[in-house]
Amino acid sequence: MQEFIVTNEIDRIDNYLSKKTELSRSKIAKMIKEGKILVNDELTKASYNIKENDIIKVEEYVEDAMNLEPINMNLDIVYEDDDVIVVNKDNGVVVHPAPGNYTNTLVNGLLYHSKELSNINGEFRPGIVHRIDAYTTGLLMVAKNNKAHEILAKELEEKKTKRKYIALVWGIINTDTGTIDAPIGRDIKDRKKMAVTDVNSKDAVTHFKVLERYASTTLIELELETGRTHQIRVHMNYIGYPVVNDPVYGKRKLIDNTGQCLHAKTLGFVHPSTGKYLEFDSELPLCFTNILNQFKD
């Protein structure tokens, strides 16, 4: 669910949302008819003229023809019991189906691996409590039932889940530690990107620590307080140290096509049934270390 608060725009709602999202006007009109777009928690029409302070809520768009099929994938399962799966996601794997990526997602593989997955997040996100970008590698927790999902999601919301990332960024960071506290929302100039902005944004906090400095890059560890879309990539670019090999943010030449040097290395949470704290760690993947080694010389 996306939420937009109208500021000083004067426009029809279908035009407004086509600029703010990746949806076409025809898809927006269809969603309005189906009651999947609300204004101030009420049904609306595509011809509605938005007003200042209107609150627009938009459900995630899913193609009608999309079929969610189990697919036999070589998943790296780090841990599994009756409530939780911890998986180490490969580079290039989209977490769940969405427009443009209908198959070969992590969800397709999870459906083949397990018949028991929570359904709180709907038909097309079974088990998914949180997600990482397609070209970010690393650890994700998956809920196998709704009770576990609710507890794990609450931990995330209350900022109790431990999530540490490793990233290689362009430039030399002189300070050993730092915190980036800057709200993130959709880029008003490019609806496919996120940006630090005060327009329709949400609080975002990222902590970082320098691990190693090289001639032109810095290896850092990051810990998230919040989980906004593209948060690390947007925040590091905002302070002038974009993630190496990021194809979207930073406007730097790509070293190869293996994806950005960003890895979800550590994941810790309180088990939803036992109440015991569990913590998992993962090694940097080859797509990351192959690039990292080029800067060590």
Side-chain angles (χ1 to χ4, degrees), residues 22 24 93 128 131 162 226 229 244 277 291:
E22 298 179 32
S24 66
V93 177
I128 301 303
R131 56 185 175 177
K162 184 176 183 179
T226 54
T229 301
V244 170
Y277 178 74
I291 292 176

Side-chain angles (χ1 to χ4, degrees), residues 38-197:
L38 303 176
V39 177
N40 304 322
D41 291 323
E42 295 183 358
L43 298 174
T44 188
K45 296 181 179 180
S47 59
Y48 173 76
N49 291 313
I50 59 175
K51 301 188 297 292
E52 188 174 0
N53 295 323
D54 275 347
I55 299 175
I56 304 172
K57 294 181 179 178
V58 183
E59 289 187 22
E60 183 177 15
Y61 179 80
V62 178
E63 295 283 359
D64 292 337
M66 186 166 69
N67 294 315
L68 194 53
E69 299 291 339
I71 296 176
N72 186 6
M73 300 172 65
N74 185 26
L75 298 181
D76 181 6
I77 303 297
V78 176
Y79 173 84
E80 182 174 7
D81 60 26
D82 292 339
D83 296 301
V84 181
I85 299 172
V86 176
V87 59
N88 188 19
K89 189 184 78 68
D90 285 339
N91 183 22
V93 177
V94 176
V95 171
H96 61 77
N101 292 285
Y102 299 134
T103 188
N104 291 319
T105 69
L106 181 64
V107 160
N108 295 106
L110 288 169
L111 285 171
Y112 186 92
H113 174 78
S114 175
K115 294 181 180 179
E116 298 179 0
L117 294 171
S118 68
N119 60 13
I120 284 180
N121 272 347
E123 179 184 358
F124 296 98
R125 293 188 183 183
I128 301 303
V129 181
H130 64 127
R131 56 185 175 177
I132 54 180
D133 300 337
Y135 290 98
T136 298
T137 55
L139 299 176
L140 283 169
M141 56 184 174
V142 177
K144 295 180 73 174
N145 56 69
N146 288 353
K147 180 181 177 181
H149 192 131
E150 290 173 349
I151 294 171
L152 293 172
K154 186 177 180 181
E155 281 190 44
L156 273 170
E157 184 180 354
E158 294 177 348
K159 303 176 183 179
K160 295 179 180 179
T161 307
K162 184 176 183 179
R163 289 176 293 167
K164 287 190 176 182
Y165 290 71
I166 301 294
L168 184 68
V169 298
W170 288 109
I172 312 301
I173 301 178
N174 293 320
T175 57
D176 292 337
T177 62
T179 296
I180 309 165
D181 186 348
I184 291 176
R186 195 164 294 277
D187 192 325
I188 60 174
K189 296 180 181 179
D190 185 348
R191 63 188 187 182
K192 294 182 180 180
K193 296 170 63 176
M194 307 301 288
V196 169
T197 176

Side-chain angles (χ1 to χ4, degrees), residues 2 4 9 11-32 37 46 48 50 56 58 186-193 200:
Q2 289 181 282
F4 302 93
E9 293 92 344
D11 209 341
R12 283 170 46 125
I13 189 171
D14 54 353
N15 286 331
Y16 173 81
L17 288 177
S18 69
K19 298 172 186 175
K20 295 288 185 180
T21 71
E22 298 179 32
L23 302 170
S24 66
R25 286 181 60 191
S26 61
K27 289 178 181 177
I28 291 167
K30 181 180 178 182
M31 292 176 70
I32 289 174
I37 295 176
Y48 173 76
I50 59 175
I56 304 172
V58 183
R186 195 164 294 277
D187 192 325
I188 60 174
K189 296 180 181 179
D190 185 348
R191 63 188 187 182
K192 294 182 180 180
K193 296 170 63 176
N200 293 321

Side-chain angles (χ1 to χ4, degrees), residues 175-223:
T175 57
D176 292 337
T177 62
T179 296
I180 309 165
D181 186 348
I184 291 176
R186 195 164 294 277
D187 192 325
I188 60 174
K189 296 180 181 179
D190 185 348
R191 63 188 187 182
K192 294 182 180 180
K193 296 170 63 176
M194 307 301 288
V196 169
T197 176
D198 58 0
V199 179
N200 293 321
S201 58
K202 293 183 179 180
D203 292 342
V205 180
T206 305
H207 306 283
F208 68 84
K209 178 175 70 174
V210 170
L211 300 178
E212 195 74 41
R213 296 180 180 93
Y214 305 108
S216 60
T217 58
T218 306
L219 186 68
I220 58 175
E221 177 186 87
L222 306 105
E223 190 161 3

